[in-house]
Amino acid sequence: MSLLRGAERCVAAIARTKHLNAFISLPEESALLRQVQDAETNGRGPLNGKLIAIKDNICTSDLPTTAASSILKSFTSPYDATVIKQLRAAGGLIAGKTNMDEFGMGSHSTRSFFGEVAQGTRNNKRVSAGGSSGGSAVAVASNNAWAALGTDTGGSVRLPAAYTGTIGFKPSYGLISRWGVIAYANSLDTVGVFARSSQDAGTVFNALNAHDPKDPTSLPASTRSRISSVVSKASRKRPLRIGVPIEYNIAELNPEVRAVWMQTLRMFANKGHTIHPVSLPTTCHALSAYYVLAPAEASSNLAKYDGVRYGSRAPGSDASSETKSVLFAKSRGEGFGDEVKRRILLGAYTLSAEAIDNYFIQAQKVRRLVQHDFDRVFALPNPLLDEQPANGENNQVDILVCPTAPTLPPTLKSLEGQSPVDAYMNDVFTVPASLAGLPAVSIPVGYVVDGAAATVGIQVIGQYGDDQLVLDFASQYERLKLY
Amino acid sequence: MFSRPSSSLYRGAAQGRYVCQACLRDVRVRRQLVANAQCLQLRSRSLQTTTTAEEVTPYRKQLKDEAKKKKLEGGPKASKKKSKTKDPRLEKWELTVGIEIHAELNTARKLFSSAATSSSDAPNTHVAVFDVAFPGTQPHFQRETLIPALRAAIALNCIIQPKSSFDRKHYFYQDQPAGYQITQYYEPFAKDGHITLFDHDGIAPEDGKSITIGIKQIQMEQDTAKTIQRPPSTHLLDFNRVSHPLIEVITLPHIHHPSTAAACVRKIQAILKTIDAVTAGMELGGLRADVNVSVRERHNTTGTGPDNSYYGVTGLGQRTEIKNLSSFKAVEDAIIAERDRQIDVLEAGGIIEGETRGWTLGSKETRKLRGKEGEIDYRYMPDPDLGPVIVGDDVVQALRDTLPELPDDIASKLVSSVKYGLTMKDAKTMVALDDGERLDYYLDVVQLLHKDLENDTALQGSIGRVAGNWVLHELGGLFTTSEEGWTDTKVMSQNLTSIISQLLRRQITGRTAKLLIATIFHGDQRTVNQIIEEENMTLRPMSREDYLATAKALLSENPDVVQAIKEKGQHGKIMFLVGQMVRRSEEGTVEAKTAESILKELLEIPRDE
């Protein structure tokens, strides 16, 4: 299929699925198609002429970047994020900026100033696309784009991938540059890729997997070569040893999801891999730790939105001694949505002098324990550590396989009465890998329910730096159907 | 209330022009010069100080305002008297002070972006996207900024930490784009230093000959933007200064007298300037101080003394903090005012609240800014984007080895060395004046004189002292009278050398020498020798007979003076007669000393009187 034909299909699909509200802004159609035409004749690069949708918290100089927030509703960045430069350099074209939960805070892409995203309907009810990168997931699932970039702080790529039946890959922390990615929680934020195949996801990943001096957390060349030497030294036998975290078999796990998980493991065993129960004892604290750390960093990162230098500002004076209003309270009060305000307050509290020891510091300790858990079960040593902790277990594994989300995608209606804490539950399986910075991919596993084909997202997690193994394994089984 | 994003800022950002190249070039040249100058042991510190009218005005204005205020309150005499009177309450109450000094580091770039630092450039011309907290931007720590910071820490005897880290200090203000300041709260880069102040540094007499004040830590942090007020309700923001690297020096509460506190700040400033660590002194806004003040009873008999402690110093009274003092005088006066306020409160049976207070130059009282309940919780959080700063021993050692001589060392050398032989007072003045330029000039003159008088061993012992006198007082006086700023080109060091050399060799009189220096100061382009020759100024000593004749004539013309000297013992009047003798004789013929001894001889006054 010619590039132009592919692009025209995407453009047509965007128009057809406009009601899903996957995009916040789109480039001018004829200009985009002209670029594709140009790519067809003169272009080169691994992503030549491919349309890639971009989550709207990644800065682009030609389209607005809003992070789905009212406070940035008319903001256009003066510069391109490094990942945008890399995509353009590899020949990729921006399909549009996708809708999301405001600043990445949410699990269903409903908390957007630009309206909620849906992935379609079930029994005439709109179904959640997952979040926070729901727009990117829907863009790929609905063929609006060849691939998409999202960001994953606690599962924001993997969860929507699981809900929409797409591939969602979150690489190891520090491999892809965050320069130009609007920070939610810097120590967790990771740019991730949506695609319809793991191979395509890998192609996009390879175009972005490079050191960026502008991002102080981007791994330098020396660390990258150390990782590859650790990975290449590992005697990787096929078949693989697959770990099943016993703590993930929680009571809240949807029976269908549990059944698909078990059948998937059985299938892997049938293919010759060996299945090993492993224990990740800190798992039960990981979610709490995440919901202390991420809001803490968010409360700090979002302090910059005051309407002074850019962004929206409430009309009139933004601090008055008469009304005893606090500086910027009006602009920030009007500019942020409820969930963002909730997390800013949460973070402001856990960092306060009276609470920091009991919350922020404790959560950092839990985070370290989560990493130790993973280091204990993976056969591959963590390449970031000089010395490996003495490791009595010989029951070590190459990858972990578990559900991406504890439930199937809910309808948007069913979310209405949900408490915030219920929503946070969706992240229970994705958060541990985020806390430890591990590579993880969600692959759709097909099954039949009530005579109809459906998918459940199954997550494959690897040791830090073992991104290629995770992608290879995903690509081997991504067409998996249990029927 | 605030301006919308200024168009120039936005344009600059959009075009990626964050750093002015010409400006960086200047900085490079400047650094080179500094490096060279250090080899010569002559620091050219003025090169770092870009003095502009814009910067100077606020300080001058402050002084003016202060003077005005004083006038209104009954003139300078009234307040002077008050400060001199010793408050008997101080027998009972002891003051304790700790100081935090913020100093702008002398660096080419900002702390976390490659934008150039600047002090007087057009507003918002040196601003990187990170400096104004654009979404998606990240800090890029500029390692070079560590160099002046480390020098400061070494000069203040601190232990350099091999590992330090950056934290975010949160508060909302329009001059703080990110909503937080990046500073070092949990792990500062330098700890546990000290500074020793001597009596000649101006410490309180009660502190004796010297006092050593502990330095708790030094941390690196970002400066804020400059706010320009446009009343009634507009605030213009200049982001050139935002993220300029600062150091904060925090002393222990080891200070018990206001004048010692001022001396401490003055000395820290002198040290920071000498080692080229800072851009400018307090008078130019390069240095600001916050002071923590508390009082406690000296002899507490009840056993229920205060139990506040700070970093190992215990038994302290409740402290208050006075923020943003911008002169040595403000430091001293604010402490006095706050001490007296606290004693007033305590003597009236009240208690001191832990609070933040402010001080306006020239006022007599500190004023409450915010109380404990209004105290900001800064929510310090390690910056998740910034890794730790690791400093190697080799770097510290190299900086230690190349540290320029400190003011104390220079001053004591000027006093103890036979080559210089200055008094401590003159030595301190020499070191402190004109950013070290006066010292450079003096050293130059002394060097030239020693060469010039190589063979006159008898004269060499007085070179340093005489040169010091001429550089500080004669030449200094000319600058003062003409109200001009110091420059070493007005009277070149060779010219002054030539004048002093001829004076010491008694080829010209003192009066001639003064005439010569004034002539040259006021623009005579001829060489010293030319002037002496063409104006016929060479000393042609009169004979003893001529001296006697002139003196006798003079005495008979002034019987009143003679009477005053002889009968009333007003021997000071002899100098009047000496002056008259010099004046009525031909230029370059009368030496004051000879004239004096002849006069004393005639008046029958012993010579050594």
Side-chain angles (χ1 to χ4, degrees):
Chain A
M1 187 167 56
S2 77
L3 289 175
L4 186 60
R5 181 106 181 77
E8 280 170 347
R9 280 190 182 188
C10 286
V11 168
I14 289 172
R16 203 169 53 242
T17 56
K18 202 164 182 252
H19 60 285
L20 300 179
N21 203 19
F23 288 92
I24 291 175
S25 57
L26 290 163
E28 213 247 309
E29 202 179 290
S30 55
L32 180 65
L33 292 176
R34 256 199 316 280
Q35 284 180 294
V36 179
Q37 241 167 346
D38 189 51
E40 194 114 58
T41 45
N42 309 318
R44 56 196 145 89
L47 304 176
N48 187 38
K50 303 287 192 198
L51 294 197
I52 299 169
I54 306 295
K55 191 178 182 181
D56 208 26
N57 62 350
I58 299 175
C59 289
T60 48
S61 54
D62 48 358
L63 288 173
T65 302
T66 68
S69 180
S70 166
I71 210 156
L72 289 177
K73 59 181 179 254
S74 50
F75 175 73
T76 300
S77 173
Y79 70 99
D80 273 336
T82 297
V83 289
I84 299 299
K85 283 191 179 155
Q86 289 168 315
L87 288 184
R88 294 194 209 271
L93 300 170
I94 309 300
K97 302 295 288 293
T98 61
N99 205 350
M100 55 184 283
D101 286 303
E102 185 179 359
F103 286 104
M105 300 178 193
S107 299
H108 299 285
S109 300
T110 53
R111 301 186 175 279
S112 164
F113 175 72
F114 300 93
E116 53 194 29
V117 182
Q119 61 162 314
T121 54
R122 188 167 68 214
N123 304 326
N124 287 324
K125 286 177 185 145
R126 283 150 64 81
V127 176
S128 164
S132 64
S133 315
S136 285
V138 169
V140 170
S142 311
N143 211 354
N144 293 346
W146 176 74
L149 294 190
T151 58
D152 188 317
T153 304
S156 285
V157 164
R158 290 161 288 161
L159 180 71
Y163 280 4
T164 58
T166 51
I167 305 284
F169 174 53
K170 179 199 97 76
S172 298
Y173 181 85
L175 290 182
I176 300 185
S177 167
R178 290 189 297 112
W179 174 263
V181 177
I182 296 182
Y184 162 19
N186 323 37
S187 75
L188 296 154
D189 293 343
T190 310
V191 174
V193 185
F194 292 94
R196 288 186 291 274
S197 79
S198 302
Q199 199 187 339
D200 291 349
T203 306
V204 175
F205 170 61
N206 288 333
L208 308 179
N209 182 14
H211 171 58
D212 177 14
K214 283 183 165 160
D215 174 1
T217 64
S218 169
L219 297 184
S222 58
T223 311
R224 285 166 194 267
S225 67
R226 178 161 143 181
I227 291 173
S228 45
S229 89
V230 169
V231 171
S232 64
K233 252 188 255 162
S235 55
R236 211 58 71 78
K237 282 176 258 143
R238 304 282 163 150
L240 294 179
R241 297 172 61 85
I242 295 174
V244 181
I246 50 174
E247 288 83 0
Y248 283 36
N249 188 20
I250 54 173
E252 295 86 347
L253 189 58
N254 174 295
E256 278 177 51
V257 174
R258 183 184 287 120
V260 170
W261 181 21
M262 293 308 146
Q263 285 181 58
T264 306
L265 291 172
R266 214 164 289 138
M267 187 96 101
F268 288 155
N270 290 341
K271 302 274 179 193
H273 303 293
T274 54
I275 310 296
H276 306 268
V278 296
S279 177
L280 301 171
T282 322
T283 301
C284 56
H285 300 301
L287 191 65
S288 314
Y290 173 81
Y291 275 100
V292 170
L293 296 178
E297 291 186 28
S299 75
S300 173
N301 289 326
L302 270 59
K304 59 169 68 80
Y305 303 105
D306 52 21
V308 173
R309 300 162 311 284
Y310 52 78
S312 316
R313 201 181 135 203
S317 165
D318 205 348
S320 116
S321 44
E322 278 167 38
T323 58
K324 292 202 170 165
S325 67
V326 177
L327 187 63
F328 307 143
K330 204 166 155 199
S331 291
R332 289 168 63 79
E334 288 178 17
F336 291 136
D338 288 345
E339 184 61 24
V340 170
K341 285 182 196 162
R342 180 178 296 119
R343 296 198 195 186
I344 288 175
L345 284 176
L346 205 57
Y349 174 68
T350 58
L351 287 175
S352 67
E354 61 172 292
I356 189 163
D357 290 342
N358 283 334
Y359 290 91
F360 187 75
I361 306 287
Q362 290 295 335
Q364 292 287 15
K365 289 178 181 163
V366 170
R367 184 176 190 176
R368 185 49 56 90
L369 292 177
V370 168
Q371 188 194 23
H372 287 335
D373 276 1
F374 283 116
D375 286 344
R376 205 163 42 237
V377 301
F378 281 119
L380 188 73
N382 186 334
L384 293 181
L385 303 179
D386 285 334
E387 273 174 52
Q388 292 300 301
N391 193 330
E393 301 190 27
N394 43 23
N395 199 12
Q396 289 175 320
V397 298
D398 300 311
I399 53 171
L400 298 170
V401 171
C402 61
T404 308
T407 67
L408 296 169
T411 62
L412 296 181
K413 187 115 185 101
S414 73
L415 298 173
E416 279 167 13
Q418 224 184 22
S419 78
V421 177
D422 290 335
Y424 299 169
M425 258 306 291
N426 286 301
D427 302 331
V428 63
F429 296 144
T430 47
V431 150
S434 292
L435 288 173
L438 306 185
V441 62
S442 177
I443 57 172
V445 172
Y447 73 111
V448 176
V449 58
D450 301 335
T455 59
V456 161
I458 291 294
Q459 185 179 206
V460 179
I461 304 172
Q463 172 60 298
Y464 188 87
D466 220 354
D467 298 62
Q468 201 54 51
L469 180 73
V470 166
L471 276 176
D472 288 348
F473 187 83
S475 116
Q476 212 173 338
Y477 296 107
E478 68 193 12
R479 308 270 170 232
L480 198 63
K481 286 194 173 63
L482 305 172
Y483 51 84
Chain B
M1 179 175 172
F2 310 121
S3 66
R4 303 296 288 162
S6 103
S7 60
S8 73
L9 163 64
Y10 190 80
R11 224 179 304 123
Q15 292 167 4
R17 263 191 304 108
Y18 313 132
V19 180
C20 157
Q21 282 310 311
C23 166
L24 277 184
R25 199 160 48 242
D26 285 351
V27 169
R28 278 193 291 272
V29 170
R30 195 193 280 174
R31 276 183 172 171
Q32 193 57 47
L33 284 172
V34 172
N36 293 343
Q38 271 171 18
C39 301
L40 300 170
Q41 204 230 4
L42 298 170
R43 293 156 316 285
S44 308
R45 275 160 304 200
S46 68
L47 290 169
Q48 277 77 46
T49 326
T50 18
T51 313
T52 65
E54 187 207 322
E55 275 181 314
V56 177
T57 320
Y59 181 65
R60 288 207 180 132
K61 196 177 171 306
Q62 266 182 351
L63 291 179
K64 256 190 205 163
D65 293 348
E66 182 195 9
K68 243 188 232 165
K69 193 153 188 185
K70 267 192 176 160
K71 237 181 191 171
L72 285 173
E73 285 163 1
K77 273 178 194 162
S79 69
K80 215 173 195 174
K81 230 176 227 167
K82 199 194 164 198
S83 68
K84 286 244 169 107
T85 325
K86 198 153 182 191
D87 188 341
R89 298 188 303 175
L90 297 182
E91 302 287 318
K92 182 178 173 195
W93 298 99
E94 185 188 44
L95 166 76
T96 301
V97 177
I99 312 175
E100 296 165 16
I101 297 169
H102 307 259
E104 251 184 13
L105 285 178
N106 178 20
T107 63
R109 292 171 193 277
K110 296 191 177 183
L111 191 51
F112 295 113
S113 78
S114 56
T117 54
S118 64
S119 55
S120 54
D121 292 352
N124 296 314
T125 51
H126 301 287
V127 184
V129 279
F130 174 76
D131 301 330
V132 273
F134 264 63
T137 58
Q138 293 170 285
H140 185 207
F141 177 56
Q142 304 290 310
R143 285 187 289 185
E144 298 77 7
T145 59
L146 264 173
I147 305 287
L150 287 170
R151 277 207 204 117
I154 292 166
L156 294 171
N157 306 299
C158 286
I159 300 168
I160 309 292
Q161 304 300 299
K163 175 174 171 274
S164 62
S165 57
F166 287 105
D167 308 298
R168 295 177 179 182
K169 174 183 180 177
H170 299 90
Y171 63 91
F172 289 111
Y173 205 64
Q174 62 265 22
D175 65 5
Q176 183 71 275
Y180 55 80
Q181 175 197 37
I182 304 180
T183 179
Q184 296 191 303
Y185 179 73
Y186 295 109
E187 296 179 288
F189 80 97
K191 285 187 192 169
D192 300 326
H194 58 85
I195 179 172
T196 301
L197 307 175
F198 298 98
D199 46 3
H200 54 70
D201 289 319
I203 57 175
E206 295 90 331
D207 281 324
K209 280 225 160 307
S210 75
I211 177 173
T212 295
I213 292 154
I215 288 165
K216 176 176 175 271
Q217 65 181 58
I218 306 180
Q219 62 208 35
M220 287 184 90
E221 59 191 31
Q222 297 173 297
D223 206 344
T224 55
K226 222 184 254 177
T227 305
I228 300 150
Q229 312 274 359
R230 283 288 146 78
S233 62
T234 304
H235 300 238
L236 299 179
L237 291 168
D238 175 6
F239 291 101
N240 280 356
R241 197 182 70 184
V242 92
S243 206
H244 189 125
L246 300 178
I247 47 170
E248 179 174 346
V249 180
I250 304 175
T251 78
L252 287 174
H254 284 164
I255 301 166
H256 300 289
H257 301 281
S259 54
T260 303
C264 180
V265 178
R266 203 182 301 120
K267 186 149 188 179
I268 289 178
Q269 167 175 312
I271 290 173
L272 295 180
K273 274 179 141 184
T274 306
I275 59 172
D276 192 27
V278 294
T279 50
M282 274 193 138
E283 70 282 3
L284 295 178
L287 218 76
R288 285 161 278 168
D290 304 337
V291 293
N292 287 290
V293 179
S294 66
V295 298
R296 60 179 164 193
E297 264 186 275
R298 285 181 198 276
H299 311 290
N300 192 294
T301 47
T302 58
T304 54
D307 57 354
N308 296 287
S309 70
Y310 182 81
Y311 204 69
V313 182
T314 55
L316 296 170
Q318 174 61 51
R319 70 185 156 104
T320 60
E321 182 172 19
I322 308 163
K323 283 218 177 275
N324 227 352
L325 302 170
S326 55
S327 73
F328 308 125
K329 186 161 168 38
V331 168
E332 187 166 348
D333 290 354
I335 292 171
I336 292 171
E338 179 58 14
R339 174 197 67 192
D340 293 348
R341 185 193 72 88
Q342 290 189 11
I343 295 174
D344 287 346
V345 170
L346 292 169
E347 298 228 311
I351 49 166
I352 302 299
E353 300 286 347
E355 59 194 13
T356 304
R357 303 183 68 88
W359 165 264
T360 328
L361 202 57
S363 65
K364 281 181 179 155
E365 284 170 342
T366 61
R367 65 179 196 288
K368 179 169 172 167
L369 292 179
R370 52 175 186 263
K372 212 166 198 177
E373 68 285 352
E375 211 59 17
I376 301 164
D377 187 335
Y378 292 120
R379 293 176 282 122
Y380 290 100
M381 178 184 88
D383 192 305
D385 269 340
L386 288 163
V389 177
I390 310 290
V391 178
D393 288 342
D394 49 344
V395 173
V396 178
Q397 195 52 50
L399 290 173
R400 205 182 287 282
D401 294 343
T402 56
L403 197 71
E405 256 185 304
L406 297 181
D408 266 358
D409 300 332
I410 300 172
S412 59
K413 194 192 257 178
L414 294 179
V415 172
S416 62
S417 161
V418 280
K419 190 171 174 188
Y420 306 111
L422 295 184
T423 61
M424 184 46 93
K425 185 162 173 278
D426 279 357
K428 295 275 306 178
T429 312
M430 195 74 85
V431 173
L433 276 177
D434 309 310
D435 278 343
E437 274 191 50
R438 193 75 72 101
L439 172 67
D440 292 348
Y441 180 86
Y442 167 74
L443 294 177
D444 206 15
V445 170
V446 170
Q447 196 64 33
L448 289 169
L449 277 172
H450 270 279
K451 216 169 141 199
D452 210 37
L453 301 174
E454 220 164 18
N455 303 320
D456 273 308
T457 38
L459 294 178
Q460 278 174 12
S462 51
I463 287 177
R465 188 179 43 77
V466 174
N469 184 43
W470 278 81
V471 170
L472 282 180
H473 305 300
E474 300 303 340
L475 185 52
L478 288 168
F479 277 102
T480 311
T481 316
S482 64
E483 292 183 353
E484 283 177 64
W486 165 265
T487 157
D488 57 7
T489 53
K490 208 85 185 168
V491 177
M492 304 291 275
S493 53
Q494 293 86 341
N495 286 337
L496 183 59
T497 302
S498 173
I499 295 170
I500 298 174
S501 168
Q502 310 221 31
L503 177 69
L504 285 173
R505 286 186 179 133
R506 300 184 59 197
Q507 287 168 349
I508 53 174
T509 64
R511 182 182 145 85
T512 305
K514 286 180 191 176
L515 208 62
L516 276 168
I517 195 171
T519 310
I520 293 170
F521 183 88
H522 290 115
D524 198 318
Q525 295 297 311
R526 293 172 294 176
T527 65
V528 173
N529 284 333
Q530 260 178 325
I531 302 173
I532 291 174
E533 202 169 302
E534 289 171 24
E535 306 298 331
N536 201 19
M537 290 167 121
T538 315
L539 177 65
R540 300 172 311 278
M542 290 198 297
S543 60
R544 183 176 156 78
E545 287 67 37
D546 289 345
Y547 267 112
L548 284 168
T550 317
K552 276 179 188 157
L554 191 64
L555 292 178
S556 61
E557 285 164 29
N558 294 283
D560 307 349
V561 180
V562 173
Q563 193 185 2
I565 294 169
K566 288 192 105 168
E567 285 165 25
K568 295 186 187 155
Q570 292 176 352
H571 293 179
K573 295 214 160 141
I574 295 173
M575 290 325 285
F576 162 77
L577 295 173
V578 172
Q580 289 299 312
M581 264 185 84
V582 171
R583 207 151 301 145
R584 67 169 51 187
S585 309
E586 210 181 325
E587 182 61 45
T589 54
V590 175
E591 287 177 284
K593 267 199 178 144
T594 316
E596 187 183 344
S597 70
I598 295 281
L599 282 166
K600 282 185 174 172
E601 194 181 313
L602 292 173
L603 291 166
E604 293 164 357
I605 296 167
R607 280 203 68 161
D608 54 356
E609 199 168 316

